[in-house]
Structure formats: structure tokens, C-alpha cells
Amino acid sequence: MIVSVLFIIFVGLGGGITVGAGFVAFLTVMGIIPRLMQLTKTMRFVQAYEAAVILGAVCGGWETLHMNHLYLTKWIAVPVGLLAGLFVGMLAAALTEVLNVLPILAKRIGLRSKIIILLMAIVIGKIAGSLFHWLYFIDHS
Amino acid sequence: MERRIFIRLRHRVLAHPGDIITVGDAAQIEGQLQLKKKLSAMPLYQVSEKDKNIVILDIIQVLRAIHLQDPTIDVQTVGGAETIVEIQYRKRNLSTVLFIGVWLLLFIGSCLAIMNFHEDVSMRDVHIALYEIITGERNDYPYLLQIPYSIGLGLGMIVFFNHIFKKRLNEEPSPLEVEMFNYQLDLDQYVAMHENQETIKDLHDR
């Protein structure tokens, strides 16, 4: 009995460490936190930001497993949604950048001066696609 | 001592077909004034129609040209070993149709990509669960969460790339600009090595 409990604890801890390390590695490769610090010039708060990411991951992980209800007003959902979107948007932008799509595109077809407008195509496309998905697509799929 | 001259090849020179590139075009020169003037005007390379887009001028070519004129000059080289001459034919005018095509491609592509991503990670289920955690009631259409989320998606990309149309959020270069610079630098390095006849030698080719 005790052995199996200890083993389960060991397995759970091992799984958590692996997923957590993977998550942090992914964030590091994407370079979102350095980017935000560079924009806001708050390099000295690195450790607070690390804590924010870790706390967020732990809370999110706990909530997906246990679903505690907070019984707050539904308007809290607005800033939460906005911030969640910002984060996913930054991830998507970082991914586009890692894949080196835009520099190659700009060079190939000589669109260097219009690169901002092309960037806007991706941004507006993301917003439109996302809204279309929530407002129409899920009811018709 | 007065015969010593310092020379530093420029990284990139833009030229038109038929131009004659002088040593002064291809390099920065420092030394005794008269010698400097004489060398600056010395022709180095004639751009002809059969050169394609890029010609590489090696430092050895420049030295050879200078020493052919006056072997007693002591040339000290500083910096890079080759300069890239980019030959510009008539300025390529981008057709509007092509541009709109690319724009639509990116627009539709990112629409589809974000929808696939949402389906892939069950974003809807997560949103419904998150809404339930916050308010305590179940709502299968948590628009209050999803519409700000969608707008935030676009804002996040803008923050990352540091650009709202022409206006930038702060004066630092955006990662996109750095990335484009690095890409150009890689291309330059490639052509500098591969288009340069001086650096490749095949010993078996006799």
C-alpha cells in the first residue's frame, strides 16, 4: 500500500517536472518574456515575471483538474479573455518569426517596403478567423 | 611613410549596368591626401550586361589594381575581405495584383491557421471551463471571454512586432527587422563565398 502510494507520488512528480520543464523551455525559445521586458524596459523584474509564469502554470494546472468556482461577476471574463488573447497572439507572432517566413517572403518578391501591410494581413486574419470561429463556425460544424 | 595607405572595403555597393566602379567607390581610403585622391579615382571594375545581379570584388583584386599602377604603395587593409556589388536593373515595379494576392494569401492562411489551432487544443472547451470557474455558471457561448480574446490575439502580435501600421511603439528595432537584417547578412555571406572566383580553387582542374 505504502509502496504504491509512494510510487504514484513519484510518477506524478516526475510527470509534472517534465511538463513544467518543457513549458519553460518552450517559452524561452519563443522569447516572449525578454521581448516584453525590452518593450517596457523592466529588465530588473525578471524574477517577478518568472514567478508570474510559474504561479500561472500551477494555478491553471490545479484548476483544470479541480474546477473550483469563484462566483465572480461575468465581466471579469472580459480582461481575462483579452489577456489570454494577447498571450496567444504573442506566441503566434513569435512562431511566425522563428519560422522565418516574412523575411524570405519580403526578399523573394521584393516587398520590403510593404512588409507592415503584410504583417497587418496576418494580424487582421487572426482576429477575423478567431471571431468567425466563435461566432459562426462552432454552431455549423 | 607617406606611401602607406589604409583601405577598408565597403560592405555593399549599388551600381547600374555600364558603371565603372573606382577604388574609391568600393572602399574607404585613408592616407596622404594626393595619394588618396589618385587612388579614389582609379577604375577597378567595369559593370557589363553579362554580370547578373551580383559581382564580388575581392580585396586581392583591389590590391592588384593598385599595385599595377604603383607597386611601391604600402596598402594596409582593414575590415572585410570582399565587397558585394549589387547591380540594379530598372527598378522592379511591384504589380498591385501580385500584392493583393499575397495579402489575401496571408489573410486567409492566418484565418485558417488560428481556427485549426483552436480546434487542435480544444480552445472552446477551455473557454467554457474558464468562464464557469469565474462566474460559477455554465455557458456554452462565453462571448464575453471570446470576443476580447480574439481582439487580444491581434494586439499580442502587434506588441511582439512593435508596429501599428507605420507608427512604432518604441524606438528599438523590432524582432522582424533584426530577423530581416540577419537573413540579408546570411545571404551576403553566401554570395561572398560562392560567387567569388578568388576563394574557390580546384586543384584537379588542370
Side-chain angles (χ1 to χ4, degrees), chain A residues 63 67-73 76, chain B residues 130 132-136:
Chain A
E63 283 301 312
M67 278 281 245
N68 301 319
H69 293 172
L70 298 173
Y71 302 105
L72 296 166
T73 163
I76 297 283
Chain B
L130 189 60
E132 196 180 337
I133 288 168
I134 293 170
T135 61

Side-chain angles (χ1 to χ4, degrees), chain A residues 37 42-54:
Chain A
M37 288 191 301
T42 48
M43 315 300 187
R44 59 187 186 281
F45 298 128
V46 193
Q47 282 180 336
Y49 293 145
E50 279 171 8
V53 169
I54 293 167

Side-chain angles (χ1 to χ4, degrees), chain A residues 76-115:
Chain A
I76 297 283
V78 176
V80 171
L82 192 68
L83 290 174
L86 266 163
F87 191 80
V88 175
M90 293 192 74
L91 269 186
L95 207 62
T96 316
E97 195 225 56
V98 167
L99 294 181
N100 230 340
V101 180
L102 286 166
I104 293 172
L105 195 69
K107 182 77 187 162
R108 267 301 106 67
I109 47 180
L111 281 178
R112 188 155 278 248
S113 55
K114 299 223 172 64
I115 189 103

Side-chain angles (χ1 to χ4, degrees), chain B residues 69-87:
Chain B
Q69 196 101 0
D70 186 350
T72 63
I73 300 176
D74 173 18
V75 186
Q76 299 284 324
T77 65
V78 184
E82 61 272 300
T83 187
I84 298 166
V85 181
E86 199 179 316
I87 301 159

Side-chain angles (χ1 to χ4, degrees), chain B residues 47-206:
Chain B
V47 180
S48 64
E49 284 292 336
K50 68 174 201 293
D51 295 321
K52 285 182 203 114
N53 280 315
I54 281 171
V55 174
I56 305 295
L57 295 176
D58 202 86
I59 188 74
I60 296 294
Q61 262 170 285
V62 180
L63 290 178
R64 198 176 292 146
I66 294 172
H67 282 156
L68 213 63
Q69 196 101 0
D70 186 350
T72 63
I73 300 176
D74 173 18
V75 186
Q76 299 284 324
T77 65
V78 184
E82 61 272 300
T83 187
I84 298 166
V85 181
E86 199 179 316
I87 301 159
Q88 285 187 321
Y89 293 94
R90 59 181 178 76
K91 206 156 175 90
R92 195 154 41 139
N93 238 340
L94 176 76
S95 78
T96 320
V97 180
L98 179 68
F99 176 68
I100 291 172
V102 172
W103 201 93
L104 284 176
L105 173 78
L106 289 174
F107 178 79
I108 300 291
S110 49
C111 273
L112 193 75
I114 199 71
M115 285 168 73
N116 271 321
F117 166 72
H118 286 160
E119 287 290 308
D120 212 30
V121 300
S122 311
M123 189 61 91
R124 189 184 176 215
D125 296 342
V126 176
H127 279 173
I128 292 170
L130 189 60
Y131 191 85
E132 196 180 337
I133 288 168
I134 293 170
T135 61
E137 58 195 73
R138 189 178 164 79
N139 181 351
D140 278 343
Y141 300 96
Y143 291 145
L144 272 183
L145 189 67
Q146 289 175 334
I147 293 171
Y149 166 85
S150 304
I151 296 165
L153 207 61
L155 287 180
M157 296 194 75
I158 289 172
V159 169
F160 191 87
F161 284 127
N162 194 14
H163 267 299
I164 305 177
F165 294 94
K166 284 271 151 69
K167 203 170 150 21
R168 38 182 39 203
L169 300 172
N170 85 23
E171 70 286 350
E172 276 155 4
S174 85
L176 188 63
E177 283 161 322
V178 175
E179 201 58 50
M180 286 173 70
F181 173 79
N182 283 337
Y183 181 66
Q184 187 65 53
L185 218 57
D186 284 351
L187 281 183
D188 288 351
Q189 213 180 351
Y190 180 89
V191 294
M193 294 299 279
H194 286 253
E195 303 268 307
N196 191 349
Q197 266 74 36
E198 312 269 338
T199 56
I200 301 164
K201 191 174 177 80
D202 190 347
L203 283 182
H204 300 287
D205 188 25
R206 299 198 178 177

